[in-house]
Amino acid sequence: MNRHHVSLAFAVVAVSMAAAPAPPFRDMAADVGLTFQHVTGATGDHFMPEIMGAGAALLDYDNDGDLDVYVIQGTALDPGKQPLFPPPVGFKPGNRLFRNLLSPTGTLHFVDVTESAGVGHIGYGMGAATGDYDNDGFLDLYVTNVGRNVLYHNNGDGTFADVTGKAGVDDARWSTSAAFLDYDSDGFLDLFVGNYVDFTVQGNKHCHAPTGEPDYCTPMAYTPVPSRLFHNTGTGTFVDVTESSGIGSSYGPALGVLCADFNGDGRTDIFVANDTAANRLWLNQGAGTFREAALQSGVAYNADGRAKAGMGVTAEEVDDDGTLTLLVTNLTREGATLFRGNRKDLFEDVTSRNGLATPTFGFTGFGTSWFDYDNDGRLDLFIANGAVTIVESLRAQPYPYGQSNLLFHNEGPQRFSDVSNDAGPAFRRIDVGRGVAIGDIDNDGAVDVLVTNNNGAVRLLHNDVGARQHWLEVSLVGTKSNLSGIGARVALLRDGAAPRWRRVHTDSSYLSASDVRVHFGLGERSDVRGLVVQWPDGSSETWDNVKPDRVVVLRQGTGRSR
């Protein structure tokens, strides 16, 4: 090889290295003050709740325009025994609230304000749900536990008050995911609480792995317990309507909860992912009643007629065709299940032909969400993974349940590619993933991901690529509908393209609550013709001349009626 050829070769290598794309995500939790370590309280008795939690919430509790973080903590179920994994130095018991002190230049910094805010509940925590149940303009917080649940009313001055007893929304059983929804469209958010099984410490059952060693039980070792539906009276109190609504007539071990209009009738329905039992789909019949229709709708079982270990859930109009696409995460060797809806209100398991069966088969999925991480206008998919039985390759480790997380890019139409290996070091980390909450943590137009880990540190996966393309975020203010617009649908209108619809919600995923704002990736085009909002009360409005690359606030009654 002569000198000219050597120089050319080095030039090619240099160009290739320069062209290598930067990974889309990086974990920056520790760098910005999100120092939280989940503890299981495990003592070797294999109490089932130890392997299941816990979740988190992204919410702007102080209305300063940026997202704060609430994380759920475990504790010792048998405090008389020595824990296998002692808490770290400086450990503070109970759930923690971190306030986001985002600087004008976009620099993130979080401070722990748990004690001053009054939200440091100490219990065996599971999940969180957010919603402004009294329409005072401040998001409230519901916390689920193994045992007593807690409703925190946001006082609007940086503090919360425990109003559980006054509001009438407690449940002494093992509650998991919860969701705020306005199922009767009266302008006040109601509350659905998913319950799991009849576990108690005193009634703990002893199970074993196929190898004969002690192991955590599956939910089939216990009896499932009914979930609950609470109706908001509009006076700061709730009424338990579980039986009168029909919700109590059928149930399983509930984990993932998602509220959306599944059959296009304008009413909010409730989907529940059950662990090792048929899923439930409660279709809203109006007049305060629901009809269970998962089997008829095609979402009770997978294509093989099997009930999987349903954990996390996420649903959006992924194909921009007016129908929901529902994803449920499951156990290792089951794979995720992707249900695609059609205009006849039926769903079909399309996991294999959409490219998700094989990549998810080797993982136990929990928290999950559709979101447009690169702002190209198509919804991508994130799944947090972590086993509930020992991972043989990690058997020598103290806590051998870790798995890596997954990121799928939407190649459209109806095809996804696994881009986890190119998503950065955060996707090569072995954690025991559980909760996932999504939101634009620093208001740069790119959706970030908060991930909780069982017996591990919280991760904040900052999105470093989404802000390179145009975007739009929408915040609703309801007047006749509930103040946050939960249950509304928002459409992006652009010339030469079909309307792109998104739901307003904080629920879905697993034990977690996400940003209530709606996000649209716009790609390289900055043009937006307008926005349409279909409010929960049935009214519809249009806003014209919307500018991109910003957060737009739409107040009910200020748009053009349709």
Side-chain angles (χ1 to χ4, degrees):
M1 179 182 291
N2 61 34
R3 183 177 301 173
H4 175 74
H5 288 155
V6 171
S7 300
L8 182 60
F10 277 114
V12 170
V13 171
V15 169
S16 299
M17 292 178 64
F25 291 95
R26 57 190 168 96
D27 177 18
M28 61 188 309
D31 298 333
V32 298
L34 278 179
T35 52
F36 176 84
Q37 175 83 17
H38 178 261
V39 298
T40 68
T43 60
D45 290 304
H46 291 91
F47 296 130
M48 193 177 177
E50 296 167 353
I51 202 68
M52 301 301 292
L58 285 175
L59 73 161
D60 182 7
Y61 82 93
D62 52 359
N63 284 0
D64 65 352
D66 51 50
L67 292 173
D68 311 296
V69 174
Y70 188 71
V71 278
I72 305 296
Q73 185 57 280
T75 189
L77 286 167
D78 186 351
K81 292 188 176 182
Q82 187 69 22
L84 296 177
F85 309 100
V89 176
F91 172 77
K92 298 178 181 179
N95 305 334
R96 311 306 297 177
L97 175 64
F98 293 88
R99 186 185 180 198
N100 187 348
L101 300 180
L102 182 67
S103 75
T105 60
T107 301
L108 280 169
H109 179 63
F110 289 87
V111 294
D112 188 335
V113 296
T114 307
E115 278 70 33
S116 61
V119 290
H121 178 73
I122 298 177
Y124 209 93
M126 281 286 122
T130 59
D132 183 2
Y133 75 87
D134 58 351
N135 290 331
D136 65 352
F138 293 90
L139 284 173
D140 307 300
L141 183 64
Y142 188 77
V143 179
T144 62
N145 297 284
V146 180
R148 174 180 176 262
N149 297 333
V150 183
L151 175 61
Y152 285 115
H153 175 261
N154 190 333
N155 297 322
D157 59 1
T159 68
F160 291 76
D162 181 347
V163 297
T164 317
K166 175 185 175 182
V169 290
D170 199 2
D171 195 314
R173 294 170 293 189
W174 180 355
S175 299
T176 53
S177 294
F180 283 99
L181 72 158
D182 185 4
Y183 72 83
D184 55 355
S185 301
D186 64 353
F188 292 96
L189 291 175
D190 311 299
L191 177 64
F192 181 90
V193 180
N195 285 325
Y196 195 46
V197 295
D198 64 346
F199 168 88
T200 63
V201 172
Q202 296 76 18
N204 182 48
K205 298 186 179 182
H206 300 284
C207 299
H208 296 82
T211 57
E213 61 190 320
D215 199 359
Y216 288 101
C217 295
T218 74
M220 290 184 287
Y222 297 92
T223 303
V225 291
S227 297
R228 299 181 77 180
L229 180 64
F230 296 96
H231 178 254
N232 190 338
T233 66
T235 63
T237 62
F238 293 75
V239 176
D240 187 344
V241 295
T242 305
E243 298 306 322
S244 62
S245 66
I247 292 293
S249 64
S250 178
Y251 51 89
L255 287 181
V257 173
L258 183 154
C259 304
D261 182 2
F262 275 77
N263 58 359
D265 64 358
R267 295 188 288 261
T268 301
D269 310 306
I270 303 171
F271 177 83
V272 179
N274 286 319
D275 190 356
T276 68
N279 302 320
R280 300 294 191 271
L281 175 59
W282 294 101
L283 294 181
N284 191 336
Q285 303 298 289
T289 63
F290 290 81
R291 175 176 62 88
E292 206 290 300
L295 183 61
Q296 300 94 310
S297 299
V299 294
Y301 306 102
N302 75 339
D304 298 327
R306 293 176 52 216
K308 293 185 178 181
M311 316 278 199
V313 292
T314 182
E316 294 288 351
E317 297 182 24
V318 175
D319 300 317
D320 294 329
D321 62 354
T323 61
L324 283 175
T325 299
L326 169 69
L327 182 120
V328 182
T329 57
N330 304 290
L331 272 177
T332 301
R333 293 183 293 279
E334 289 185 343
T337 308
L338 186 69
F339 297 103
R340 185 175 187 273
N342 62 27
R343 295 188 181 276
K344 295 182 180 179
D345 307 330
L346 299 174
F347 288 78
E348 179 187 6
D349 180 349
V350 295
T351 315
S352 294
R353 67 172 179 261
N354 279 257
L356 293 174
T358 300
T360 61
F361 185 77
F363 296 89
T364 294
F366 279 90
T368 183
S369 184
W370 298 113
F371 73 121
D372 185 0
Y373 78 83
D374 56 354
N375 280 344
D376 66 352
R378 296 189 296 267
L379 289 175
D380 311 299
L381 179 66
F382 178 90
I383 302 176
N385 299 305
V388 293
T389 57
I390 291 174
V391 177
E392 288 300 323
S393 61
L394 302 178
R395 181 175 284 276
Q397 295 190 11
Y399 201 65
Y401 300 96
Q403 294 179 332
S404 58
N405 297 327
L406 292 170
L407 181 67
F408 294 93
H409 185 259
N410 187 339
E411 305 295 344
Q414 301 177 38
R415 196 71 190 170
F416 299 88
S417 61
D418 183 355
V419 295
S420 310
N421 290 336
D422 301 320
F427 285 79
R428 293 190 288 273
R429 190 190 300 271
I430 302 300
D431 280 328
V432 188
R434 292 296 183 258
V436 169
I438 64 164
D440 184 357
I441 202 78
D442 53 359
N443 294 331
D444 65 351
V447 180
D448 310 297
V449 183
L450 183 78
V451 185
T452 65
N453 291 295
N454 182 267
N455 202 46
V458 68
R459 310 292 183 195
L460 177 59
L461 305 186
H462 184 266
N463 186 334
D464 288 338
V465 299
R468 298 174 188 173
Q469 302 210 72
H470 295 289
W471 56 277
L472 183 67
E473 289 173 359
V474 182
S475 178
L476 297 187
V477 179
T479 53
K480 296 179 181 179
S481 296
N482 68 85
L483 195 65
S484 300
I486 287 177
R489 296 172 70 233
V490 182
L492 174 75
L493 304 180
R494 308 182 85 176
D495 291 330
R500 188 185 306 160
W501 291 95
R502 298 287 181 263
R503 300 188 304 116
V504 181
H505 64 102
T506 60
D507 63 5
S508 309
S509 187
Y510 175 79
L511 305 178
S512 300
S514 293
D515 185 5
V516 71
R517 296 176 295 184
V518 169
H519 175 269
F520 292 98
L522 303 179
E524 297 179 354
R525 293 173 51 187
S526 61
D527 61 299
V528 178
R529 181 159 56 86
L531 292 168
V532 175
V533 176
Q534 292 182 350
W535 295 94
D537 68 355
S539 63
S540 182
E541 295 178 271
T542 300
W543 282 263
D544 302 313
N545 302 316
V546 177
K547 303 298 182 183
D549 303 320
R550 65 196 66 197
V551 178
V552 176
V553 179
L554 304 180
R555 184 177 181 84
Q556 189 174 15
T558 64
R560 174 166 46 86
S561 297
R562 292 169 61 89

Short mmCIF file of all heavy atoms in Angstrom, two decimals, residues 456-505:
data_model
loop_
_atom_site.label_atom_id
_atom_site.label_comp_id
_atom_site.label_asym_id
_atom_site.label_seq_id
_atom_site.Cartn_x
_atom_site.Cartn_y
_atom_site.Cartn_z
N GLY A 456 -33.03 -1.20 43.70
CA GLY A 456 -31.98 -0.49 42.96
C GLY A 456 -32.26 0.99 42.87
O GLY A 456 -33.26 1.51 43.39
N ALA A 457 -31.38 1.68 42.18
CA ALA A 457 -31.45 3.13 42.05
C ALA A 457 -32.45 3.55 40.98
O ALA A 457 -32.69 2.82 40.01
CB ALA A 457 -30.07 3.69 41.72
N VAL A 458 -33.02 4.73 41.14
CA VAL A 458 -33.88 5.29 40.11
C VAL A 458 -33.00 5.78 38.96
O VAL A 458 -31.87 6.23 39.17
CB VAL A 458 -34.75 6.44 40.68
CG1 VAL A 458 -33.90 7.65 41.05
CG2 VAL A 458 -35.86 6.82 39.72
N ARG A 459 -33.51 5.69 37.74
CA ARG A 459 -32.78 6.16 36.55
C ARG A 459 -33.59 7.24 35.84
O ARG A 459 -34.81 7.10 35.67
CB ARG A 459 -32.55 5.00 35.55
CG ARG A 459 -31.95 3.75 36.15
CD ARG A 459 -30.54 3.94 36.60
NE ARG A 459 -29.96 2.69 37.12
CZ ARG A 459 -28.84 2.63 37.83
NH1 ARG A 459 -28.16 3.75 38.11
NH2 ARG A 459 -28.39 1.48 38.27
N LEU A 460 -32.94 8.30 35.46
CA LEU A 460 -33.55 9.33 34.63
C LEU A 460 -32.84 9.32 33.29
O LEU A 460 -31.70 9.76 33.16
CB LEU A 460 -33.43 10.71 35.28
CG LEU A 460 -33.98 11.88 34.45
CD1 LEU A 460 -35.47 11.68 34.14
CD2 LEU A 460 -33.76 13.21 35.16
N LEU A 461 -33.51 8.77 32.27
CA LEU A 461 -32.94 8.65 30.94
C LEU A 461 -33.27 9.92 30.17
O LEU A 461 -34.39 10.10 29.69
CB LEU A 461 -33.47 7.41 30.23
CG LEU A 461 -33.30 6.09 30.98
CD1 LEU A 461 -33.74 4.93 30.11
CD2 LEU A 461 -31.86 5.91 31.45
N HIS A 462 -32.26 10.80 30.07
CA HIS A 462 -32.47 12.06 29.37
C HIS A 462 -32.39 11.84 27.87
O HIS A 462 -31.48 11.19 27.37
CB HIS A 462 -31.43 13.09 29.81
CG HIS A 462 -31.65 14.44 29.20
ND1 HIS A 462 -31.03 14.86 28.05
CD2 HIS A 462 -32.46 15.46 29.58
CE1 HIS A 462 -31.44 16.08 27.75
NE2 HIS A 462 -32.29 16.47 28.66
N ASN A 463 -33.34 12.41 27.15
CA ASN A 463 -33.42 12.28 25.71
C ASN A 463 -32.53 13.34 25.06
O ASN A 463 -32.80 14.54 25.17
CB ASN A 463 -34.89 12.47 25.28
CG ASN A 463 -35.12 12.21 23.82
OD1 ASN A 463 -34.22 12.33 22.99
ND2 ASN A 463 -36.35 11.85 23.48
N ASP A 464 -31.49 12.89 24.38
CA ASP A 464 -30.53 13.81 23.77
C ASP A 464 -30.73 14.00 22.27
O ASP A 464 -29.95 14.73 21.64
CB ASP A 464 -29.10 13.30 24.00
CG ASP A 464 -28.66 13.45 25.45
OD1 ASP A 464 -29.24 14.30 26.16
OD2 ASP A 464 -27.74 12.72 25.87
N VAL A 465 -31.76 13.38 21.68
CA VAL A 465 -31.92 13.48 20.23
C VAL A 465 -33.23 14.12 19.80
O VAL A 465 -33.32 14.69 18.71
CB VAL A 465 -31.78 12.10 19.55
CG1 VAL A 465 -30.42 11.50 19.82
CG2 VAL A 465 -32.89 11.15 20.00
N GLY A 466 -34.26 14.03 20.62
CA GLY A 466 -35.57 14.49 20.20
C GLY A 466 -35.62 15.97 19.86
O GLY A 466 -36.33 16.38 18.94
N ALA A 467 -34.85 16.79 20.58
CA ALA A 467 -34.90 18.23 20.37
C ALA A 467 -34.27 18.66 19.06
O ALA A 467 -34.35 19.85 18.69
CB ALA A 467 -34.21 18.94 21.54
N ARG A 468 -33.68 17.73 18.32
CA ARG A 468 -33.09 18.08 17.02
C ARG A 468 -34.16 18.27 15.95
O ARG A 468 -33.87 18.80 14.87
CB ARG A 468 -32.12 16.98 16.59
CG ARG A 468 -30.95 16.78 17.54
CD ARG A 468 -30.11 15.58 17.15
NE ARG A 468 -29.09 15.28 18.16
CZ ARG A 468 -28.32 14.22 18.14
NH1 ARG A 468 -28.45 13.32 17.16
NH2 ARG A 468 -27.43 14.02 19.08
N GLN A 469 -35.38 17.81 16.22
CA GLN A 469 -36.47 17.99 15.26
C GLN A 469 -37.58 18.80 15.93
O GLN A 469 -37.58 19.03 17.13
CB GLN A 469 -36.99 16.64 14.79
CG GLN A 469 -35.92 15.76 14.14
CD GLN A 469 -36.48 14.84 13.10
OE1 GLN A 469 -36.88 15.27 12.02
NE2 GLN A 469 -36.52 13.55 13.41
N HIS A 470 -38.53 19.23 15.13
CA HIS A 470 -39.60 20.09 15.64
C HIS A 470 -40.58 19.29 16.49
O HIS A 470 -40.72 18.07 16.34
CB HIS A 470 -40.33 20.76 14.48
CG HIS A 470 -39.46 21.72 13.72
ND1 HIS A 470 -39.05 22.93 14.23
CD2 HIS A 470 -38.90 21.63 12.47
CE1 HIS A 470 -38.30 23.56 13.33
NE2 HIS A 470 -38.19 22.78 12.26
N TRP A 471 -41.29 20.00 17.36
CA TRP A 471 -42.16 19.35 18.33
C TRP A 471 -43.25 20.32 18.76
O TRP A 471 -43.20 21.53 18.50
CB TRP A 471 -41.36 18.90 19.55
CG TRP A 471 -40.59 20.02 20.21
CD1 TRP A 471 -39.36 20.49 19.85
CD2 TRP A 471 -41.03 20.83 21.32
NE1 TRP A 471 -39.00 21.54 20.65
CE2 TRP A 471 -39.99 21.77 21.57
CE3 TRP A 471 -42.16 20.84 22.12
CZ2 TRP A 471 -40.07 22.72 22.60
CZ3 TRP A 471 -42.25 21.79 23.15
CH2 TRP A 471 -41.20 22.71 23.38
N LEU A 472 -44.23 19.77 19.48
CA LEU A 472 -45.31 20.56 20.06
C LEU A 472 -45.85 19.81 21.27
O LEU A 472 -46.08 18.61 21.20
CB LEU A 472 -46.41 20.79 19.04
CG LEU A 472 -47.60 21.66 19.48
CD1 LEU A 472 -47.17 23.10 19.68
CD2 LEU A 472 -48.72 21.59 18.44
N GLU A 473 -46.04 20.52 22.37
CA GLU A 473 -46.64 19.94 23.56
C GLU A 473 -47.90 20.72 23.92
O GLU A 473 -47.93 21.95 23.80
CB GLU A 473 -45.66 19.91 24.73
CG GLU A 473 -44.56 18.88 24.51
CD GLU A 473 -43.46 18.92 25.54
OE1 GLU A 473 -43.51 19.77 26.46
OE2 GLU A 473 -42.54 18.10 25.40
N VAL A 474 -48.93 20.00 24.36
CA VAL A 474 -50.24 20.60 24.59
C VAL A 474 -50.67 20.34 26.03
O VAL A 474 -50.68 19.20 26.49
CB VAL A 474 -51.29 20.03 23.62
CG1 VAL A 474 -52.64 20.71 23.83
CG2 VAL A 474 -50.82 20.20 22.17
N SER A 475 -51.05 21.42 26.70
CA SER A 475 -51.60 21.34 28.05
C SER A 475 -53.03 21.85 28.03
O SER A 475 -53.30 22.93 27.49
CB SER A 475 -50.75 22.19 29.02
OG SER A 475 -51.29 22.16 30.32
N LEU A 476 -53.95 21.07 28.56
CA LEU A 476 -55.37 21.43 28.51
C LEU A 476 -55.84 22.00 29.85
O LEU A 476 -55.36 21.61 30.92
CB LEU A 476 -56.22 20.21 28.17
CG LEU A 476 -56.01 19.55 26.82
CD1 LEU A 476 -57.06 18.48 26.59
CD2 LEU A 476 -56.01 20.56 25.68
N VAL A 477 -56.80 22.93 29.75
CA VAL A 477 -57.48 23.47 30.93
C VAL A 477 -58.97 23.32 30.69
O VAL A 477 -59.57 24.04 29.88
CB VAL A 477 -57.12 24.95 31.17
CG1 VAL A 477 -57.87 25.47 32.40
CG2 VAL A 477 -55.62 25.12 31.35
N GLY A 478 -59.58 22.37 31.37
CA GLY A 478 -61.01 22.15 31.21
C GLY A 478 -61.81 23.11 32.07
O GLY A 478 -61.36 23.56 33.13
N THR A 479 -63.00 23.46 31.59
CA THR A 479 -63.93 24.28 32.38
C THR A 479 -65.19 23.47 32.68
O THR A 479 -65.52 23.23 33.83
CB THR A 479 -64.27 25.58 31.63
OG1 THR A 479 -64.74 25.27 30.30
CG2 THR A 479 -63.04 26.47 31.53
N LYS A 480 -65.84 22.99 31.65
CA LYS A 480 -66.95 22.07 31.86
C LYS A 480 -66.42 20.66 32.12
O LYS A 480 -67.02 19.91 32.90
CB LYS A 480 -67.87 22.07 30.64
CG LYS A 480 -68.56 23.40 30.38
CD LYS A 480 -69.44 23.33 29.14
CE LYS A 480 -70.11 24.66 28.86
NZ LYS A 480 -70.95 24.61 27.63
N SER A 481 -65.34 20.29 31.47
CA SER A 481 -64.68 19.01 31.73
C SER A 481 -63.72 19.18 32.90
O SER A 481 -63.50 20.29 33.39
CB SER A 481 -63.92 18.55 30.49
OG SER A 481 -64.80 18.30 29.41
N ASN A 482 -63.17 18.06 33.39
CA ASN A 482 -62.22 18.15 34.49
C ASN A 482 -61.06 19.05 34.11
O ASN A 482 -60.69 19.17 32.94
CB ASN A 482 -61.75 16.76 34.91
CG ASN A 482 -60.88 16.08 33.86
OD1 ASN A 482 -59.68 16.28 33.79
ND2 ASN A 482 -61.53 15.25 33.01
N LEU A 483 -60.48 19.72 35.09
CA LEU A 483 -59.56 20.82 34.83
C LEU A 483 -58.35 20.42 33.99
O LEU A 483 -57.88 21.20 33.16
CB LEU A 483 -59.10 21.43 36.16
CG LEU A 483 -58.43 22.80 36.07
CD1 LEU A 483 -59.41 23.85 35.59
CD2 LEU A 483 -57.85 23.20 37.42
N SER A 484 -57.82 19.20 34.19
CA SER A 484 -56.65 18.77 33.44
C SER A 484 -56.99 18.18 32.08
O SER A 484 -56.09 17.86 31.31
CB SER A 484 -55.87 17.72 34.25
OG SER A 484 -55.44 18.26 35.48
N GLY A 485 -58.28 18.02 31.80
CA GLY A 485 -58.69 17.46 30.51
C GLY A 485 -58.42 15.98 30.38
O GLY A 485 -58.40 15.44 29.26
N ILE A 486 -58.22 15.26 31.51
CA ILE A 486 -57.97 13.82 31.44
C ILE A 486 -59.16 13.12 30.79
O ILE A 486 -60.31 13.35 31.16
CB ILE A 486 -57.70 13.26 32.84
CG1 ILE A 486 -56.31 13.71 33.31
CG2 ILE A 486 -57.80 11.74 32.85
CD1 ILE A 486 -55.95 13.27 34.70
N GLY A 487 -58.87 12.31 29.79
CA GLY A 487 -59.91 11.65 29.01
C GLY A 487 -60.17 12.31 27.68
O GLY A 487 -60.89 11.76 26.83
N ALA A 488 -59.59 13.50 27.45
CA ALA A 488 -59.76 14.19 26.17
C ALA A 488 -58.86 13.56 25.11
O ALA A 488 -57.90 12.84 25.42
CB ALA A 488 -59.42 15.66 26.31
N ARG A 489 -59.19 13.83 23.84
CA ARG A 489 -58.34 13.45 22.71
C ARG A 489 -57.93 14.72 21.97
O ARG A 489 -58.75 15.62 21.79
CB ARG A 489 -59.07 12.50 21.75
CG ARG A 489 -59.44 11.17 22.37
CD ARG A 489 -60.32 10.35 21.43
NE ARG A 489 -59.63 9.87 20.25
CZ ARG A 489 -60.03 10.04 19.00
NH1 ARG A 489 -61.15 10.73 18.75
NH2 ARG A 489 -59.36 9.55 17.99
N VAL A 490 -56.65 14.77 21.60
CA VAL A 490 -56.11 15.95 20.92
C VAL A 490 -55.59 15.51 19.56
O VAL A 490 -54.86 14.52 19.45
CB VAL A 490 -54.97 16.59 21.73
CG1 VAL A 490 -54.46 17.84 21.03
CG2 VAL A 490 -55.45 16.94 23.14
N ALA A 491 -55.97 16.26 18.51
CA ALA A 491 -55.51 15.95 17.15
C ALA A 491 -54.63 17.06 16.62
O ALA A 491 -54.95 18.25 16.75
CB ALA A 491 -56.70 15.74 16.22
N LEU A 492 -53.54 16.67 16.01
CA LEU A 492 -52.65 17.59 15.29
C LEU A 492 -53.08 17.62 13.83
O LEU A 492 -53.19 16.58 13.19
CB LEU A 492 -51.21 17.11 15.41
CG LEU A 492 -50.17 17.87 14.58
CD1 LEU A 492 -49.88 19.23 15.21
CD2 LEU A 492 -48.89 17.05 14.44
N LEU A 493 -53.35 18.82 13.32
CA LEU A 493 -53.76 18.99 11.92
C LEU A 493 -52.60 19.57 11.11
O LEU A 493 -52.01 20.59 11.48
CB LEU A 493 -54.96 19.93 11.83
CG LEU A 493 -56.20 19.56 12.66
CD1 LEU A 493 -57.30 20.59 12.46
CD2 LEU A 493 -56.70 18.16 12.29
N ARG A 494 -52.29 18.90 9.99
CA ARG A 494 -51.25 19.38 9.08
C ARG A 494 -51.73 19.17 7.65
O ARG A 494 -52.42 18.20 7.34
CB ARG A 494 -49.93 18.62 9.30
CG ARG A 494 -49.48 18.60 10.72
CD ARG A 494 -48.15 17.87 10.88
NE ARG A 494 -47.02 18.75 10.64
CZ ARG A 494 -45.75 18.38 10.79
NH1 ARG A 494 -45.47 17.13 11.14
NH2 ARG A 494 -44.77 19.22 10.57
N ASP A 495 -51.35 20.07 6.79
CA ASP A 495 -51.72 19.95 5.39
C ASP A 495 -51.11 18.68 4.78
O ASP A 495 -49.94 18.38 5.00
CB ASP A 495 -51.25 21.17 4.60
CG ASP A 495 -52.01 22.43 4.99
OD1 ASP A 495 -53.19 22.31 5.37
OD2 ASP A 495 -51.41 23.53 4.93
N GLY A 496 -51.93 17.96 4.04
CA GLY A 496 -51.45 16.77 3.35
C GLY A 496 -51.27 15.55 4.22
O GLY A 496 -50.64 14.57 3.80
N ALA A 497 -51.79 15.59 5.45
CA ALA A 497 -51.63 14.45 6.35
C ALA A 497 -52.92 14.22 7.12
O ALA A 497 -53.69 15.15 7.35
CB ALA A 497 -50.48 14.69 7.33
N ALA A 498 -53.16 12.98 7.49
CA ALA A 498 -54.33 12.65 8.31
C ALA A 498 -54.15 13.22 9.70
O ALA A 498 -53.02 13.37 10.18
CB ALA A 498 -54.51 11.14 8.37
N PRO A 499 -55.23 13.55 10.39
CA PRO A 499 -55.11 14.02 11.77
C PRO A 499 -54.38 12.99 12.63
O PRO A 499 -54.60 11.78 12.51
CB PRO A 499 -56.56 14.19 12.22
CG PRO A 499 -57.34 14.35 10.95
CD PRO A 499 -56.63 13.52 9.93
N ARG A 500 -53.52 13.47 13.50
CA ARG A 500 -52.78 12.59 14.39
C ARG A 500 -53.33 12.78 15.80
O ARG A 500 -53.20 13.84 16.40
CB ARG A 500 -51.28 12.92 14.35
CG ARG A 500 -50.40 11.94 15.10
CD ARG A 500 -48.95 12.39 15.11
NE ARG A 500 -48.48 12.64 13.76
CZ ARG A 500 -47.41 13.39 13.47
NH1 ARG A 500 -46.74 13.98 14.44
NH2 ARG A 500 -47.04 13.57 12.23
N TRP A 501 -53.95 11.73 16.35
CA TRP A 501 -54.65 11.82 17.63
C TRP A 501 -53.80 11.28 18.78
O TRP A 501 -53.11 10.28 18.63
CB TRP A 501 -55.96 11.04 17.58
CG TRP A 501 -57.00 11.63 16.69
CD1 TRP A 501 -57.27 11.32 15.38
CD2 TRP A 501 -57.94 12.65 17.05
NE1 TRP A 501 -58.31 12.08 14.91
CE2 TRP A 501 -58.75 12.91 15.91
CE3 TRP A 501 -58.19 13.36 18.23
CZ2 TRP A 501 -59.77 13.84 15.91
CZ3 TRP A 501 -59.20 14.31 18.25
CH2 TRP A 501 -59.99 14.54 17.09
N ARG A 502 -53.88 11.97 19.92
CA ARG A 502 -53.24 11.52 21.15
C ARG A 502 -54.24 11.63 22.31
O ARG A 502 -55.12 12.49 22.31
CB ARG A 502 -51.99 12.34 21.46
CG ARG A 502 -50.90 12.25 20.39
CD ARG A 502 -50.21 10.90 20.41
NE ARG A 502 -49.15 10.83 19.40
CZ ARG A 502 -49.29 10.29 18.20
NH1 ARG A 502 -50.46 9.77 17.85
NH2 ARG A 502 -48.29 10.26 17.36
N ARG A 503 -54.06 10.80 23.33
CA ARG A 503 -54.92 10.81 24.52
C ARG A 503 -54.32 11.67 25.62
O ARG A 503 -53.10 11.76 25.76
CB ARG A 503 -55.09 9.39 25.07
CG ARG A 503 -55.72 8.41 24.12
CD ARG A 503 -56.03 7.09 24.81
NE ARG A 503 -54.86 6.50 25.44
CZ ARG A 503 -54.71 6.31 26.75
NH1 ARG A 503 -55.65 6.70 27.59
NH2 ARG A 503 -53.63 5.73 27.22
N VAL A 504 -55.17 12.29 26.42
CA VAL A 504 -54.73 13.01 27.61
C VAL A 504 -54.94 12.08 28.80
O VAL A 504 -56.06 11.70 29.12
CB VAL A 504 -55.52 14.32 27.80
CG1 VAL A 504 -55.03 15.06 29.04
CG2 VAL A 504 -55.40 15.20 26.56
N HIS A 505 -53.85 11.71 29.45
CA HIS A 505 -53.93 10.77 30.57
C HIS A 505 -52.64 10.83 31.37
O HIS A 505 -51.61 11.33 30.90
CB HIS A 505 -54.14 9.33 30.06
CG HIS A 505 -53.01 8.81 29.23
ND1 HIS A 505 -52.06 7.94 29.73
CD2 HIS A 505 -52.64 9.04 27.95
CE1 HIS A 505 -51.18 7.65 28.78
NE2 HIS A 505 -51.51 8.31 27.69
#
